[in-house]
Amino acid sequence: RRGARGAARAAGGDGGEDAIASGEWPANWSLASFEDVGEFYTQQLFNEEASPETCLHDFMSDELFTTSPNTPLAELKGIFDKVSGLPVLNAAGECIGVVSKNDLAKGGRKVSDVMTSPAICVAAHKVVADAAIMMLKYKVHRLPVVDKKGSVVGMVTRTDIFKAMEAAS
């Protein structure tokens, strides 16, 4: 197994400052394993004092607000004073998407018209670095956090990631 620096070289980069995540994936990252990519970005994103191995459960928002795909958008306006995004759950309680305050500007009548789908979720037992890497990879600002049964138990946002890094330094 190659180290993160080896993966960066394989991807065409030297691992220097220019390789810091921009939200775009270098074309040759497809040759690297998920572990190599994760190790590389962990080293690029987190300083030595930070603790990217902190469990998500400790930093996610567990005051959970959810919505359904058939909810009229007008009903959501007040909730976005408290949160920046909501998991969208189907009748079986499965997370099928995420709707954010910015999605309201897309126009539409109900949540299913504007939500981002499918939902990109992260497991509650994962660590802060895993969530940060997923946000970069999928270019999202928030992730529903799910338990072993797949039930949404919280949300983690970019702000939560920054708070985790700040608390560790």
Side-chain angles (χ1 to χ4, degrees):
R1 184 185 124 126
R2 293 184 302 237
R5 299 291 177 202
R9 282 190 292 280
D14 62 2
E17 274 189 43
D18 293 337
I20 294 176
S22 67
E24 297 294 327
W25 289 95
N28 291 334
W29 271 119
S30 62
L31 303 174
S33 70
F34 180 80
E35 291 80 14
D36 286 341
V37 174
E39 186 178 331
F40 173 75
Y41 277 106
T42 296
Q43 291 177 9
Q44 295 297 315
L45 293 172
F46 303 109
N47 63 34
E48 292 177 19
E49 298 84 35
S51 180
E53 299 305 314
T54 301
C55 187
L56 275 180
H57 193 269
D58 296 332
F59 282 94
M60 70 178 192
S61 172
D62 57 4
E63 182 180 6
L64 193 59
F65 298 92
T66 63
T67 189
S68 72
N70 296 321
T71 302
L73 292 177
E75 290 182 21
L76 297 182
K77 290 183 181 177
I79 199 140
F80 287 121
D81 293 335
K82 300 175 187 172
V83 296
S84 64
L86 302 167
V88 181
L89 307 182
N90 64 15
E94 301 164 323
C95 189
I96 59 169
V98 175
V99 64
S100 71
K101 185 176 187 176
N102 292 341
D103 290 333
L104 297 180
K106 291 179 183 177
R109 299 179 59 168
K110 55 186 180 174
V111 170
S112 62
D113 296 336
V114 299
M115 71 182 189
T116 301
S117 182
I120 297 165
C121 300
V122 63
H125 69 274
K126 295 288 188 178
V127 295
V128 170
D130 294 328
I133 290 164
M134 288 179 70
M135 287 178 186
L136 284 170
K137 181 176 181 181
Y138 295 106
K139 299 177 185 173
V140 295
H141 299 232
R142 62 200 54 78
L143 297 168
V145 180
V146 296
D147 63 14
K148 291 178 183 179
K149 297 176 186 174
S151 300
V152 178
V153 295
M155 287 284 279
V156 63
T157 65
R158 290 184 312 166
T159 302
D160 296 328
I161 301 295
F162 294 142
K163 286 179 183 177
M165 296 299 95
E166 183 179 77
S169 60

